Amino acid sequence: MTPEGISELISRVSLRDRAAFDVLYAATSAKLFGVCLRVLGNRTEAEDALQDIYVKIWNKAGRFAVADTSPISWLVAIARNHCIDVLRSRKPAAVELDQAADVFEPSPNPEQAAVASGEAQRIYDCLGQLEADRAAAVRGAYLNGDSYEVLASRHNVPLNTMRTWLRRSLMKLKECLEG
């Protein structure tokens, strides 16, 4: 069927001509079903969507402007938009309860949180046993991510001295934590 013929049928459908609607359906349903099937990927859903689409065409036929668009493009746009709405309204597939038990929870459980809190307190206690400038350098390097150069400048010491401070401070922290 020609585009002019489809335009004529749509115009007649806008006047509630059932015979024109039957002819329009016969001429275009295969194409629109293909669009539905391609978008939805499910034959049953595509068949249901096609019915809804032709109800929309029946109700919107008066909005079709013959001069503005190709009639088949107008029909395909209605079909495609409806199918996209169907996709959006789909509920996500329910997860089996057994699968939900396998979901990883990244936050620590209460026991792990208590252990980590105790270990953190031990580290802070051991840092308190270091000289104040050495403890500040360790915090700067390993908690704040400051570079050796920045720390050496901040504490007014040569770079190699800063490296020595950090190495010796880590050894003292290790001894304290192991003891």
Side-chain angles (χ1 to χ4, degrees):
M1 177 166 284
T2 66
E4 294 79 21
I6 294 173
S7 293
E8 175 63 29
L9 290 172
I10 294 172
S11 296
R12 287 176 43 205
V13 168
S14 71
L15 300 172
R16 303 295 188 233
D17 182 341
R18 289 184 187 272
F21 184 75
D22 290 342
V23 174
L24 180 66
Y25 182 87
T28 60
S29 62
K31 171 111 176 137
L32 297 185
F33 179 72
V35 170
C36 295
L37 191 57
R38 186 171 58 248
V39 173
L40 296 173
N42 179 301
R43 187 171 194 80
T44 304
E45 279 187 319
E47 290 169 355
D48 291 342
L50 190 65
Q51 290 179 2
D52 295 337
I53 289 163
Y54 276 97
V55 170
K56 286 183 179 185
I57 291 169
W58 176 262
N59 292 325
K60 294 181 177 186
R63 297 183 190 165
F64 175 68
V66 176
D68 289 346
T69 59
S70 143
I72 199 66
S73 296
W74 184 75
L75 295 171
V76 167
I78 291 173
R80 184 179 166 280
N81 291 341
H82 178 79
C83 290
I84 290 171
D85 290 343
V86 168
L87 287 176
R88 288 180 182 153
S89 69
R90 281 184 185 168
K91 291 183 181 179
V95 175
E96 292 292 325
L97 190 55
D98 293 337
Q99 291 175 339
D102 296 334
V103 174
F104 175 71
E105 172 58 40
S107 59
N109 64 34
E111 180 184 3
Q112 292 168 331
V115 169
S117 175
E119 289 175 1
Q121 187 58 49
R122 285 183 55 216
I123 292 171
Y124 285 117
D125 290 344
C126 290
L127 275 171
Q129 294 177 12
L130 297 175
E131 295 176 34
D133 54 354
R134 272 43 168 206
V138 168
R139 283 188 187 99
Y142 300 106
L143 299 179
N144 300 336
D146 296 336
S147 69
Y148 292 168
E149 292 83 8
V150 168
L151 291 170
S153 173
R154 183 180 303 151
H155 292 280
N156 295 319
V157 295
L159 180 60
N160 286 336
T161 301
M162 179 53 60
R163 288 185 176 134
T164 302
W165 280 14
L166 291 172
R167 185 173 28 83
R168 288 181 180 166
S169 296
L170 288 178
M171 289 181 349
K172 286 182 181 180
L173 285 174
K174 181 180 178 187
E175 288 174 17
C176 177
L177 290 171
E178 288 176 348

